[in-house]
Amino acid sequence: ESLKAEGLRPDAVLGHSFGEFTASLAADVTTLPQAIELAKHRANAVMSHMRVPGGLLSIRAAVHEVDAILKSAGMAVYVTHLNSTKQTVIAGSRESIVAAKALLDRHGLPSMSVSVPAPFHTPLLVEAEIAFERMSSSVLMRPPVCGFLSATSVQYLAEPSSIRSSLVRQLTQPVMYMPSIQRMLGEGFRVFLE
């Protein structure tokens, strides 16, 4: 809002995970009260419909390295964030995250636990996703005033229904941040504000 007050307007917005709610506000898809209402609905849906408490583990390694190690061990975790060529995030139950960290440590891949209440961006939150879809349906949304790039589909969304769907589906879909940034760079974007 302070940038808008200075006359600065984005050509496109991209939100990382929960940041898609901020992106919806920046693109005038929602007002501040609506964005807050959506955030409350999301939190309520997750906390009341979460089957398995979980966590995230940020690993300093490429996704193909992480995925190969975890798949070969049959780990019950999910790749949830492709943040950069050298940072991958996984999620799962608290127990599976502890086991994955130990395995990755043995392979020399540095990692750090991220304290969150739920295994975000995994199929473990499908019930929360269904509840959030129902809860959010009453919140009015408008078409974006600039490009709205979804970090889960890496596609521009122009319809309020598509943006709502993206906000809902991101509970169970991975964050494709690096591919989204690469797309924007390929389209000529050079100034990014976080």
Side-chain angles (χ1 to χ4, degrees), residues 9-169:
R9 302 274 186 244
D11 293 318
V13 295
L14 167 67
H16 183 281
S17 185
F18 189 77
E20 280 198 347
F21 292 83
T22 306
S24 76
L25 179 61
D28 289 335
V29 173
T30 58
T31 62
L32 182 57
Q34 289 168 325
I36 291 169
E37 183 179 357
L38 285 169
K40 286 180 183 178
H41 288 323
R42 182 181 189 259
N44 289 338
V46 169
M47 297 315 290
S48 61
H49 293 86
M50 177 177 46
R51 293 177 300 164
V52 178
L56 301 176
L57 185 68
S58 178
I59 306 130
R60 195 173 337 138
V63 66
H64 68 275
E65 294 176 83
V66 173
D67 206 32
I69 293 167
L70 297 174
K71 279 187 177 172
S72 70
M75 301 294 299
V77 294
Y78 302 86
V79 172
T80 58
H81 298 73
L82 281 76
N83 287 337
S84 76
T85 57
K86 301 223 183 215
Q87 191 206 23
T88 303
V89 179
I90 62 170
S93 69
R94 290 182 182 148
E95 297 79 18
S96 65
I97 290 298
V98 168
K101 180 167 180 36
L103 176 65
L104 294 166
D105 285 349
R106 288 194 300 276
H107 280 84
L109 298 183
S111 63
M112 179 175 71
S113 294
V114 180
S115 180
V116 294
F120 290 102
H121 308 291
T122 73
L124 297 173
L125 289 181
V126 70
E127 291 173 17
E129 177 186 274
I130 293 166
F132 180 42
E133 184 170 35
R134 186 179 64 254
M135 293 175 184
S136 69
S137 65
S138 64
V139 178
L140 179 67
M141 295 180 155
R142 293 168 299 287
V145 297
C146 61
F148 186 99
L149 184 59
S150 166
T152 54
S153 69
V154 195
Q155 298 296 316
Y156 284 98
L157 307 177
E159 296 299 322
S161 61
S162 299
I163 295 170
R164 180 188 316 279
S165 181
S166 181
L167 292 172
V168 168
R169 302 285 172 256

